[in-house]
Every structure is written in structure tokens, then in C-alpha cells.
Amino acid sequence: MDNEQTAQVAGGTGAARPGTRRPGGRTARTRAAVRDAVLTGLTEHGYSGLTVEYVAEHSGVHKTTLYRRWGGVDGLVADTLDLAGEDSWTPPDTGSLHGDLHALALEVVHSFADPATAAPSSAVIAAAFQSEPAAQALRAYYAERFTRCEVIVDRAVARGELPGPRSAIDGGALVRAAAAPLFFRLFITREGLDEPAADQAVAVALAAAHAGTFTRST
């Protein structure tokens, strides 16, 4: 997941959240301006310091409109996350399972390598620890990303790199296994990332896949 995608967020299932319609034109521009203001506010002040007044001032959208369409700070943060799911990102296709997982891992490494671009994504993730609507939106964002990554496993089975049938393999779990150690280093141990960390995470995930760890129980 790259930072620009993470930084565009809000999601969820069931009833639509305030502000989560997908219109174009002026309304889309308004939503983008609000998103940018939310990201700037989260980066500068954190979730606890973000206010509707701040978003109104920096987006040019009147606060009564923000309250009417988004309901408050939680709705604003959630919709910012939801925007991430509206992009056209697709997982890499390198010709091998190892190559695909490695390219995904490097996306994480490179996304957080530059503090200037890492800050908005980190701020959004931090907000999910303080706001349940933001946490729900973040889970929805990653669930959608993992669904897109299922094609990686489809291709691996078709090439004979993983045993079939395809339906028996939990592709989301495999991709999680390759990415999880990187996010652990980023947000738990605060070690930072480099390419050797990505190599190690991918090697462990591949070994587990070949051992049948991600086979769904019947």
C-alpha cells in the first residue's frame, strides 16, 4: 500500500457514512479539498487536535456544511480513508510469486522511507487507535486491498508455484504474512524499514505458503 493511497481514506459496509457518495464535479472537488485538510490536520496536530473548525479553515468549506455532510471529526477521518478504496491500484505482476510479494513489500518500504510522505499515512493509522469509525474504515481499506491481491495467488497456482485448488488457499492471509512484519517494525518496535527487512518478510511468507500454512481448513 502506498502512502498516497493510504492517505485518501474512509470506508465501511452497510449504510453509507456521511460524505461517502461518489459524485463528480464540484462535489468531488469539495470532498478532495476536505480530505487534504483532514490529512494536513492529522499530520500537524494528530487526531486529538483535529477540529471541524480547522478543516473548514483549510478546505474553504463552511463548518455547517462539514457537520451536515460528515457529522464531525470521526466522519471526516473515515471518509478520508474511504477515498483510498476508490483508486485504480493493482498489485504487481512480475511473473513469479516471489517477485510479486517482494514488489508489494518494497512498496511498503518505499512508501514510508520519506518522512514527508510517510507522515499522513502514519497519522491516519494513529487515528484508528483513537476513533472506532476510523478503525472500521481502516479495516475496510485493508480488506479491500487484500481482495485485490488475491490475483497474486491465482497466478501462482496457475503457474504451479502453489498447489491447487485455488479455492483452498487463503490469499489474503499470505499477503498479510508478507506485510505484517514490516508494519510491526514501523508501528510497534519503531525500527524503521529497509530492503533486507522486506526480503526476510517475503522469505518467511513464501516458506509458510509452500508448507501449506495458508490452506483453508475444510
Side-chain angles (χ1 to χ4, degrees):
M1 162 188 79
D2 76 338
N3 273 303
E4 291 181 357
Q5 292 157 353
T6 308
Q8 291 176 346
V9 189
T13 57
R17 299 177 186 276
T20 57
R21 293 174 297 168
R22 271 76 169 173
R26 182 178 179 182
T27 302
R29 291 192 297 272
T30 297
R31 192 176 176 208
V34 169
R35 171 204 60 199
D36 292 344
V38 170
L39 288 172
T40 301
L42 285 174
T43 302
E44 293 181 352
H45 304 293
Y47 173 79
S48 61
L50 182 67
T51 64
V52 172
E53 289 73 16
Y54 177 97
V55 176
E57 178 183 353
H58 288 77
S59 67
V61 179
H62 198 279
K63 68 178 182 179
T64 57
T65 300
L66 296 177
Y67 278 115
R68 183 177 69 251
R69 290 186 55 191
W70 284 274
V73 169
D74 279 344
L76 288 165
V77 174
D79 194 48
T80 297
L81 282 158
D82 195 40
L83 281 166
E86 299 178 26
D87 65 14
S88 59
W89 179 86
T90 57
D93 184 0
T94 66
S96 72
L97 178 59
H98 176 273
D100 291 350
L101 292 178
H102 191 254
L104 280 174
L106 288 182
E107 282 191 17
V108 177
V109 172
H110 296 155
S111 293
F112 287 92
D114 182 350
T117 57
S121 293
S122 298
V124 167
I125 291 172
F129 285 89
Q130 302 174 72
S131 163
E132 180 55 30
Q136 292 175 2
L138 192 64
R139 287 194 292 271
Y141 167 85
Y142 278 110
E144 197 272 341
R145 275 296 187 270
F146 292 135
T147 296
R148 295 192 198 185
C149 288
E150 292 278 350
V151 68
I152 289 176
V153 177
D154 294 341
R155 296 190 298 247
V157 171
R159 290 189 296 256
E161 295 177 284
L162 291 175
R166 166 64 186 90
S167 60
I169 301 172
D170 187 339
L174 172 54
V175 174
R176 283 182 178 89
L182 305 179
F183 283 96
F184 184 89
R185 289 174 64 99
L186 279 167
F187 296 106
I188 304 301
T189 61
R190 309 293 290 177
E191 297 174 73
L193 292 180
D194 53 22
E195 189 163 346
D199 294 341
Q200 185 181 64
V202 169
V204 172
L206 280 173
H210 291 143
T213 301
F214 304 113
T215 301
R216 293 188 174 95
S217 58
T218 57

